[in-house]
Amino acid sequence: MSLQGKTAIITGSNSGIGLGIAHEMAKAGASVVINSFTDSDEDHALAKSIAEEHGVEARYIKADMSKPDECRALVETAGACDILINNAGIQHVAPIDQFPAEKWDAIIAINLSSAFHTTAAALPKMRAAGWGRIVNIASAHGLTASPYKSAYIAAKHGIVGLTKTAALETAEEPITANAICPGYVLTPLVEAQIPDTMKEYDMDRETVIKEVMLKRQPSKEFATVEQLGGTAVFLCSDAAAQITGTTISVDGGWTAL
Ligand code: NAD
């Protein structure tokens, strides 16, 4: 699969799944734009190392996905946007009656509204180029729920709905929009949930991983960032040209239960 000549923007990609997807996109020949809300030497060094490793152009562009103007500016600054991967995401775990309102607002802004703004900015570029792929990183929690993750689950169900609408609005064009629904992938976002979950369930780390986190993942294995990157590359391939408005689960059987 060659994505040579295509430019992929991956939001929230200085770590975890986004960085994994950036590597797989670059390996397939795409120029990549990686992003987060910071602007450190490490961020720019990451882009440089992707460029060197895969022999493609890679840039880091700072943009805070909680801010509508910066979401749109990311796409404008990048220039071309053939492939848009909406990946930026945060998590907060608390019961609804104790869930801080500002956390709800931040999660909805970063995990859901950012994808609306980047998509709005990207569609004219895709239409002008006569080709486009939108891949939204939802979650198994875009299809099912768990306690204590109200904002995340609302945002992830929302992004599945946004994906379907984007697909219908582009159905007669050479543009597709799909969502990938990962189960648990061991990234910094998941790592950060372990201490709270250990407290919540009064369990040690290993028990939390096997009995709580992977309880609903029948394979009992974390998915990998390479597998998610490979799925995103597939959705950009010619074989996937008629796949639009749907979800692909990469969840070790979670949603089959
Ligand atoms: P991560 O914490 O490693 O990565 C999140 C990325 O988002 C980071 O690059 C971070 O810098 C960026 N980010 C956070 N706030 C931002 C902001 N305001 N503006 C721009 N960038 C911002 O987590 P991850 O696990 O790699 O998560 C990536 C995506 O995958 C998220 O949308 C998450 O919901 C989804 N997901 C993760 C899992 C999992 O098990 N790890 C499962 C299902 C879905």
Side-chain angles (χ1 to χ4, degrees), residues 55-234:
V56 297
E57 268 183 45
R59 281 177 293 159
Y60 177 85
I61 300 178
K62 171 192 181 282
D64 184 340
M65 292 297 106
S66 69
K67 304 205 166 96
D69 291 352
E70 294 194 26
C71 296
R72 290 171 188 259
L74 168 65
V75 176
E76 295 313 327
T77 308
C81 179
D82 306 295
I83 298 166
L84 173 64
I85 314 275
N86 287 303
N87 169 78
I90 57 168
Q91 175 64 287
H92 186 77
V93 180
I96 292 172
D97 57 349
Q98 293 162 36
F99 208 96
E102 64 275 14
K103 288 280 184 200
W104 170 277
D105 289 343
I107 290 173
I108 298 298
I110 295 166
N111 296 23
L112 175 58
S113 302
S114 69
F116 161 71
H117 296 295
T118 55
T119 300
L123 280 174
K125 290 178 186 282
M126 292 177 177
R127 288 181 169 131
W131 191 91
R133 294 285 182 270
I134 299 165
V135 180
N136 293 324
I137 305 306
S139 169
H141 279 133
L143 305 168
T144 63
S146 298
Y148 314 126
K149 296 181 179 175
S150 53
Y152 186 85
I153 286 161
K156 293 301 185 181
H157 277 68
I159 205 160
V160 169
L162 174 67
T163 304
K164 292 177 186 176
T165 306
L168 292 179
E169 291 185 14
T170 56
E172 293 185 32
E173 301 171 77
I175 297 171
T176 67
N178 293 289
I180 298 177
C181 294
Y184 268 112
V185 188
L186 193 55
T187 63
L189 180 138
V190 168
E191 191 63 54
Q193 290 174 51
I194 295 176
D196 279 353
T197 317
M198 283 167 64
K199 254 189 259 158
E200 187 84 43
Y201 289 86
D202 193 21
M203 287 176 177
D204 65 25
R205 183 185 160 87
E206 193 158 324
T207 315
V208 154
I209 290 175
K210 288 272 176 220
E211 305 292 324
V212 181
M213 294 182 142
L214 297 180
K215 185 176 171 199
R216 291 170 71 181
Q217 197 145 312
S219 67
K220 298 288 172 212
E221 284 186 31
F222 285 111
T224 68
V225 299
E226 291 79 11
Q227 290 161 355
L228 291 162
T231 306
V233 169
F234 165 68

